[in-house]
Amino acid sequence: MEQIQRKLAEYTASLYNEKILDEQFIQLQQLQDESNPDFVVEVVSLFFEDSERLLNELAKALNQTNVDFKKLDAHVHQLKGSSSSIGAQRVQRVCISFRNYCDDRNVEGCLKCLQQIKIEYTLVKNKLETLFKLEKQFVDAGGSFPVV
Amino acid sequence: MSASVNSNIVKKLKALIVDDDTITRMILKALLMKFEAILAHHSGACFDLILMDLYMPVINGRQTTKKLRDMHVCSLIVGMTSQEKEEEKESFMDAGLDYYYQKPLTR
């Protein structure tokens, strides 16, 4: 159990060191309690669903002959908000750049940002799924939170 | 975040969350529940606190706040947005907010 605990603590620390997550994720964990035991997983699952829908919408919007930048910006604004809410720092940062390119009506810049967001989103999704697996292993081995 | 609330002394807060984003509503609900708030889902009730998002489809938070104040609603209205532009914040405050917070609210 100690080995799993150490692995979990090191993995968690790496997510913050690599700026994949920020302190907002800690705030989410603090909202989880006995009355709301699956809160973090529920919020993050919703983030995954929302993000995948928005990424499809962004790709569709950028594939149009006449790009509707207002619509594009609205989708990016939503993705920026949800990534900020769960602490997905790197996704949020690309969204900020994306919005600037929308303001400038720069299609090439927007396309580059979309590619970058896909990379960062895939990374944070994989990392969070691994985190939840490690947390489950820790709990199954008899551990309890918080783990520093 | 800690909430030491003596429910025998403090009236339970009746709060309304006005935001088109499901994730934001989930997080705010969890945050308010820590303070033993009662969450309302319908209009017509008298709210102690209204958490108002700025950017929403059809009618935005600024317009909604102005309408509520025109109706003499005296609830505490707290605006929330991720926008950093000062003129947007000021315009939102001018609509009748009591306070303004930058999202995410848990920070």
Side-chain angles (χ1 to χ4, degrees):
Chain A
M1 208 264 279
E2 275 178 21
Q3 201 180 3
I4 298 172
Q5 185 174 10
R6 191 167 47 247
K7 193 176 175 185
L8 177 57
E10 283 169 4
Y11 189 77
T12 306
S14 74
L15 297 180
Y16 296 101
N17 292 339
E18 291 167 32
K19 299 194 191 308
I20 291 167
L21 293 177
D22 64 24
E23 62 182 16
Q24 178 61 19
F25 191 77
I26 298 173
Q27 300 289 338
L28 283 193
Q29 290 176 315
Q30 290 181 341
L31 289 173
Q32 184 162 295
D33 58 23
E34 303 79 31
S35 65
N36 215 347
D38 300 315
F39 176 71
V40 177
V41 168
E42 284 172 6
V43 172
V44 170
S45 298
L46 191 56
F47 168 70
F48 291 160
E49 272 176 45
D50 257 10
S51 299
E52 278 155 35
R53 178 184 57 81
L54 285 167
L55 289 172
N56 283 337
E57 293 295 332
L58 287 170
K60 250 195 280 183
L62 279 168
N63 208 27
Q64 303 301 308
T65 314
N66 293 313
V67 173
D68 183 343
F69 285 99
K70 196 173 171 187
K71 196 175 180 180
L72 197 63
D73 183 68
H75 290 319
V76 179
H77 173 76
Q78 246 190 296
L79 184 57
K80 177 174 165 275
S82 57
S83 58
S84 168
S85 291
I86 71 138
Q89 193 181 168
R90 282 157 67 155
V91 175
Q92 185 203 353
R93 283 186 182 169
V94 183
C95 288
I96 292 170
S97 304
F98 202 152
R99 293 198 77 191
N100 290 335
Y101 282 120
C102 288
D103 283 346
D104 294 340
R105 305 177 72 85
N106 183 332
V107 173
E108 200 181 314
C110 288
L111 283 165
K112 277 186 188 155
C113 282
L114 179 59
Q115 288 316 307
Q116 191 58 33
I117 283 181
K118 284 177 178 174
I119 292 167
E120 296 298 347
Y121 168 72
T122 305
L123 179 63
V124 74
K125 184 168 192 260
N126 290 340
K127 292 284 185 179
L128 283 169
E129 284 172 343
T130 302
L131 177 69
F132 294 148
K133 276 193 190 124
L134 285 172
E135 286 180 344
K136 189 177 183 307
Q137 282 173 11
F138 175 66
V139 168
D140 289 347
S144 62
F145 290 99
V147 173
V148 176
Chain B
M1 244 180 303
S2 65
S4 302
V5 179
N6 186 333
S7 58
N8 290 327
I9 296 169
V10 178
K11 188 185 83 160
K12 285 181 190 278
L13 186 74
K14 198 178 288 183
L16 176 69
I17 301 169
V18 183
D19 197 309
D20 61 319
D21 181 55
T22 309
I23 293 174
T24 302
R25 289 199 307 273
M26 275 177 80
I27 293 171
L28 288 175
K29 180 182 171 182
L31 181 63
L32 288 169
M33 295 299 277
K34 289 276 187 192
F35 292 89
E36 299 188 32
I38 300 167
L39 290 159
H41 299 282
H42 55 83
S43 61
C46 195
F47 305 108
D48 301 303
L49 170 67
I50 298 174
L51 295 174
M52 182 75 70
D53 184 30
L54 175 56
Y55 283 103
M56 294 184 287
V58 184
I59 178 170
N60 65 35
R62 190 175 47 75
Q63 293 164 322
T64 308
T65 302
K66 188 160 186 326
K67 277 190 189 294
L68 288 173
R69 291 308 189 203
D70 287 346
M71 289 160 58
H72 306 290
V73 168
C74 55
S75 309
L76 192 75
I77 305 179
V78 176
M80 307 172 297
T81 180
S82 54
Q83 288 297 325
E84 289 92 6
K85 294 178 188 171
E86 278 308 311
E87 57 270 21
E88 295 223 2
K89 289 182 198 176
E90 279 171 17
S91 166
F92 200 6
M93 283 296 298
D94 287 345
L97 295 181
D98 293 290
Y99 296 100
Y100 169 92
Y101 278 107
Q102 191 147 343
K103 283 184 177 179
L105 196 62
T106 47
R107 289 195 180 170

